[in-house]
Amino acid sequence: MIIYLFFLIIAALISYCKNEKFGNFIIILLLFFTVFRNETVGLDTYNYVHGGYTEWAAGMRTNELLYKWLSSFVDSEGSQFLLIVFGCITFGGIYVASKKWLIPPIFAVFFFILFEYYNLSLNIARQYAAAGFLLIAYSFLLDKGRRRFFFFLFVLLAAGLHSSSLLFSLTYFCRFVDFSKINKIILTLFILVFFILCNFVLKDYYIQIAQAAVITGDMEVYSRYFDQTEDYGLSLGGAIIAFVNLFTSIFIFLSISGDKTQRGRILTSLFFISIIFDVFFANLYGNIGRLRYSIDIINIIAYSWYFLYVRHNKLIKTSVALVMCVFYGYSLVYSLLGPDKAYSTVPYELCF
């Protein structure tokens, strides 16, 4: 836990002073701890070290050809190969996408840690490697001409690791949406109503609706994941954190939605989808709930964009940063100290 908090503080300081060389050093160091972790760090890590792709895969999972091919290089007695590949793709995706969005990579990495994505990536490394490819794909929405079609290439690469990534090929249409032309009050009310519906009105029904949609489609292989799904409900403390996180996201969304540049417009569209996915899937425990991580990864770009490019006075930005650090920081520390030990990534051990 001390290691993670140390990196979070260092990343925050580097983000503030924008020291690119030292920031890159921290990123490389984090990558080192990612690829050379012991097989006990993260519930899924053992499977990556001792085989990877399995022959029982069915349905859409049979299309995960890249994962199957990479798994063929795993030594029968255990190997760090998949951990190295997945880690490099994840951090490579963050680095490349940050550069394309004109954001210092250490900014994005700071939020990658703060939002607990780093600990998640030590557990479900394959999905976060796919998210790394998707993050690059999203950045190609900024391009014009033939280069914009690289979006689909990286979506296919992501799907080669995690078949659910195909769903996010639909984000290509974010190129044609402009939220700056929509009334902000209407947008805010829409998100709030959707949150209330998912968490308090339809919470006993929308799991079954989502399950029916999965079973009747080509994603039937994921129907077994609903065996792991339950509606957590919200405790008082959980409700407070959920509402603060929601209002922070709405504030960031509304703040960047006024940016009429191509980058700002596309980022706003992607971030809106992220908010909707997060609201819908946040209380779904298990692999079905993981679908949101493939679009939530854009949050590290959106929040960085706000602090770098949105013109708010220093008092407002300082207040937003303070609220974020208190509530997201609390969630991070609770996850590290809580019963699930940050997705079984604590205690951390090296493989040698």
Side-chain angles (χ1 to χ4, degrees):
M1 183 193 74
I2 295 177
I3 291 177
Y4 297 145
L5 294 179
F6 170 76
F7 280 126
L8 180 63
I9 294 171
I10 293 298
L13 293 174
I14 296 172
S15 297
Y16 179 78
C17 59
K18 301 179 183 179
N19 188 321
E20 184 174 0
K21 290 183 179 179
F22 195 34
N24 290 340
F25 170 74
I26 292 297
I27 293 173
I28 293 173
L29 202 56
L30 282 169
L31 177 60
F32 172 85
F33 282 105
T34 295
V35 302
F36 293 114
R37 66 186 186 275
N38 194 9
E39 62 187 38
T40 60
V41 180
L43 293 175
D44 290 355
T45 304
Y46 181 87
N47 294 332
Y48 300 139
V49 173
H50 295 279
Y53 184 90
T54 55
E55 295 302 328
W56 61 261
M60 287 187 65
R61 290 210 56 190
T62 58
N63 297 320
E64 294 173 348
L65 300 180
L66 181 57
Y67 181 37
K68 182 177 181 180
W69 177 67
L70 290 172
S71 298
S72 67
F73 295 97
V74 177
D75 188 274
S76 59
E77 296 183 359
S79 168
Q80 300 294 117
F81 177 75
L82 286 178
L83 301 186
I84 293 172
V85 173
F86 291 161
C88 288
I89 294 174
T90 301
F91 279 91
I94 294 173
Y95 189 89
V96 171
S98 297
K99 287 293 187 178
K100 292 202 68 176
W101 288 98
L102 303 180
I103 290 171
I106 193 62
F107 266 70
V109 168
F110 168 72
F111 290 109
F112 189 69
I113 300 172
L114 183 65
F115 296 157
E116 302 178 45
Y117 299 162
Y118 179 67
N119 291 91
L120 273 167
S121 73
L122 298 182
N123 182 18
I124 50 175
R126 177 169 64 96
Q127 183 167 357
Y128 266 88
F133 276 140
L134 286 174
L135 196 55
I136 297 176
Y138 300 146
S139 70
F140 273 105
L141 295 176
L142 302 173
D143 290 316
K144 298 179 180 179
R146 294 180 180 179
R147 283 179 58 85
R148 71 183 187 275
F149 295 118
F150 279 107
F151 168 86
F152 294 105
L153 171 62
F154 281 95
V155 168
L156 289 175
L157 287 172
L161 291 178
H162 204 280
S163 57
S164 64
S165 300
L166 283 175
L167 173 64
F168 299 95
S169 61
L170 296 175
T171 59
Y172 180 79
F173 297 102
C174 287
R175 290 172 52 87
F176 310 109
V177 180
D178 188 354
F179 279 96
S180 67
K181 297 180 179 180
I182 304 176
N183 186 283
K184 291 186 178 182
I185 296 178
I186 294 176
L187 289 171
T188 303
L189 288 176
F190 176 84
I191 296 173
L192 288 175
V193 169
F194 187 72
F195 177 83
I196 293 171
L197 284 174
C198 288
N199 286 276
F200 301 103
V201 179
L202 301 177
K203 66 177 184 178
D204 295 327
Y205 305 103
Y206 80 99
I207 293 178
Q208 289 83 352
I209 295 173
Q211 183 180 20
V214 169
I215 293 175
T216 56
D218 192 33
M219 294 178 66
E220 70 277 359
V221 66
Y222 288 102
S223 62
R224 67 186 181 85
Y225 290 159
F226 281 92
D227 295 337
Q228 303 171 322
T229 298
E230 61 186 60
D231 182 4
Y232 274 141
L234 294 176
S235 63
L236 177 59
I240 293 173
I241 293 176
F243 274 108
V244 170
N245 291 348
L246 176 67
F247 283 111
T248 302
S249 295
I250 291 175
F251 176 82
I252 298 297
F253 168 72
L254 295 177
S255 297
I256 66 177
S257 67
D259 192 328
K260 297 183 180 181
T261 65
Q262 183 193 33
R263 279 185 168 80
R265 180 172 53 78
I266 294 175
L267 181 58
T268 300
S269 300
L270 291 168
F271 188 46
F272 178 78
I273 296 173
S274 171
I275 294 174
I276 297 302
F277 263 73
D278 209 40
V279 169
F280 186 83
F281 289 103
N283 293 322
L284 294 178
Y285 176 73
N287 290 323
I288 259 312
R290 295 179 182 180
L291 283 174
R292 70 187 191 274
Y293 300 140
S294 296
I295 185 65
D296 274 2
I297 194 70
I298 199 64
N299 294 2
I300 66 177
I301 303 296
Y303 278 77
S304 298
W305 183 273
Y306 168 76
F307 285 104
L308 285 171
Y309 296 115
V310 173
R311 294 183 179 180
H312 280 168
N313 64 51
K314 290 185 178 180
L315 179 60
I316 293 177
K317 285 193 173 182
T318 301
S319 300
V320 173
L322 181 60
V323 169
M324 286 181 54
C325 287
V326 169
F327 286 92
Y328 284 104
Y330 172 82
S331 295
L332 175 61
V333 172
Y334 180 80
S335 176
L336 293 169
L337 297 176
D340 70 342
K341 298 300 181 182
Y343 317 104
S344 297
T345 59
V346 176
Y348 177 89
E349 296 178 358
L350 289 168
C351 65
F352 47 80

